[in-house]
Amino acid sequence: MDFNLTEEQLMIQQAARDFAQNELLPDVIERDEFSKFPVEQVKKMAELGFLGMMVEPKYGGSGLDCLSYVLAMTEIAKVDASAAVIMSVNNSLVCSGMEKYCNEEQKMKYLVPLAKGEILGAFCLSEPEAGSDATSQKTTAIDKGDYYVLNGTKNWITNGSSASVYIVMAQTDLGKGHNGINAFIVEKEWGGFVVGPKEKKMGIRGSDTHSLQFNDVKVPKENRIGADGFGFHFAMEVLNGGRIGIASQALGIATGAYELALKYAQVRKTFGKEIIKHQAIAFKLADMATQIMAAKMLCYKAAIEKEEGKDISQSSAMAKLFASQTAMDTTIEAVQIHGGNGYVAEYHVERMMRDAKITQIYEGTSEIQRIVISRSLVS
């Protein structure tokens, strides 16, 4: 497997790095402190083509490969994990699923503006009683002939208030279990659709996370994705790709924290010498660098396998599992290396530590990743 980057991939990586440093970094602490959505920065991401990176140009996207997406995600997450998850949801959970599974009419109506970044999308699977157990959907969509009537609650929805289009999983036949779940495209302005209060979170505070309520929302029949009963399969396939995005986010958080810790260790002095010259600190940095390299290779492998059309359920789960643990381990050590300075906002690493934790939870907890991986070993 060739991990050498092409000239185009290197250019995309550099463009994302420049964007992160010039547009995201200046106000990232303020956005975190006040839970401010990066409105202007998201508009600029759209201009750069970062919100529909893997979508074909005929549908408004950049037509790039998955590894290019990983590279861009990593650079953005190094500076602002909140901006990275906004980008990840629109690319991985919304646009990719639509391009692969929606019909032509749905693609032209919804995918084109999403891939162009003219609007944002959200993916609605989790519920108060259906988080890791996605089969236990309580949201219902009752078939009324020409339309469905949608009722229920979704929670922990990224882009919850900023999105205009939502992919919603709902149960249409309770007697069929997961085979009775369907996926629907829902517009924000439809009657009965209510966005709940914004969640107060430990990390990724710049992204907006909300619960959503559906009260007798009429969904046209033509807004169902795929055949009747396809929704659960759709959700699981989309999540496989989404895990690459979150693994890349975790990789970026870890890399950003490591780079700050390395820089700090080279200038901070104790007992008459730079702290990097103390073996205790040098060994921490060695372990961080090794974990990050391993996480990077797992992310790249999953991206390349996706591009090759292979089953990525195992590789994406491995990438997310290991990269998210790396993000936690690395950010904790980065705070430790900074000492007291690591505990205050201006040095960034305390925010990165708070941001890192969610990568072990959303789009499948680490425990779920281990289930996916272990099942793939004996299949």
Side-chain angles (χ1 to χ4, degrees), residues 101-153:
Y101 295 110
C102 282
N103 60 42
E104 197 67 16
E105 183 180 348
Q106 292 168 338
K107 290 178 184 178
M108 296 308 298
K109 184 175 182 180
Y110 295 111
L111 178 59
V112 170
L114 285 163
K116 288 181 177 179
E118 295 172 350
I119 59 175
L120 282 177
F123 184 80
C124 307
L125 177 64
S126 293
E127 298 182 1
E129 297 180 25
S132 294
D133 181 10
T135 62
S136 299
Q137 298 287 300
K138 296 292 188 291
T139 298
T140 59
I142 305 303
D143 191 342
K144 295 293 186 178
D146 293 334
Y147 61 90
Y148 291 89
V149 175
L150 191 64
N151 280 283
T153 301

Side-chain angles (χ1 to χ4, degrees), residues 16-284:
R17 185 177 297 145
D18 291 343
F19 169 77
Q21 292 296 321
N22 297 329
E23 303 292 342
L24 293 174
L25 182 59
D27 299 318
V28 66
I29 293 174
E30 179 186 353
R31 290 194 301 276
D32 173 75
E33 182 179 358
F34 297 104
S35 298
K36 290 173 59 178
F37 187 85
V39 176
E40 295 304 316
Q41 290 84 356
V42 170
K43 288 179 182 178
K44 290 177 181 177
M45 277 200 285
E47 293 170 6
L48 289 168
F50 287 162
L51 295 180
M53 290 188 70
M54 296 173 285
V55 176
E56 288 299 318
K58 67 178 179 178
Y59 298 122
S62 301
L64 297 168
D65 63 292
C66 190
L67 185 52
S68 295
Y69 167 61
V70 168
L71 295 170
M73 272 288 300
T74 302
E75 291 299 325
I76 288 170
K78 280 167 63 174
V79 173
D80 186 353
S82 295
V85 75
I86 295 164
M87 176 178 163
S88 177
V89 167
N90 207 70
N91 275 280
S92 298
L93 297 187
V94 179
C95 287
S96 288
M98 281 190 171
E99 184 173 30
K100 186 171 182 179
Y101 295 110
C102 282
N103 60 42
E104 197 67 16
E105 183 180 348
Q106 292 168 338
K107 290 178 184 178
M108 296 308 298
K109 184 175 182 180
Y110 295 111
L111 178 59
V112 170
L114 285 163
K116 288 181 177 179
E118 295 172 350
I119 59 175
L120 282 177
F123 184 80
C124 307
L125 177 64
S126 293
E127 298 182 1
E129 297 180 25
S132 294
D133 181 10
T135 62
S136 299
Q137 298 287 300
K138 296 292 188 291
T139 298
T140 59
I142 305 303
D143 191 342
K144 295 293 186 178
D146 293 334
Y147 61 90
Y148 291 89
V149 175
L150 191 64
N151 280 283
T153 301
K154 297 292 181 179
N155 62 348
W156 316 121
I157 305 304
T158 301
N159 299 343
S161 66
S162 57
S164 299
V165 173
Y166 301 75
I167 298 178
V168 182
M169 262 53 67
Q171 183 66 256
T172 57
D173 189 337
L174 292 170
K176 292 183 178 179
H178 72 275
N179 290 319
I181 296 172
N182 276 297
F184 302 92
I185 304 170
V186 177
E187 297 181 23
K188 187 177 188 177
E189 301 307 317
W190 288 350
F193 182 16
V194 179
V195 177
K198 188 175 183 178
E199 301 289 353
K200 296 179 181 179
K201 301 172 296 186
M202 177 197 299
I204 57 166
R205 293 177 179 173
S207 70
D208 60 318
T209 307
H210 295 257
S211 60
L212 307 175
Q213 296 175 0
F214 304 91
N215 305 310
D216 292 330
V217 178
K218 289 185 177 181
V219 182
K221 213 56 171 293
E222 59 265 27
N223 277 44
R224 188 186 73 198
I225 298 175
D228 187 29
F230 180 66
F232 185 74
H233 177 77
F234 169 84
M236 295 303 102
E237 286 297 312
V238 169
L239 283 173
N240 279 338
R243 285 165 184 156
I244 297 176
I246 300 306
S248 304
Q249 180 196 26
L251 174 62
I253 294 169
T255 305
Y258 163 75
E259 290 179 355
L260 289 172
L262 178 61
K263 182 178 179 180
Y264 185 83
Q266 290 173 312
V267 296
R268 174 68 170 177
K269 291 184 178 181
T270 61
F271 305 105
K273 60 183 178 181
E274 294 80 8
I275 62 173
I276 197 170
K277 294 178 181 178
H278 296 293
Q279 190 179 74
I281 302 301
F283 279 14
K284 286 182 187 294

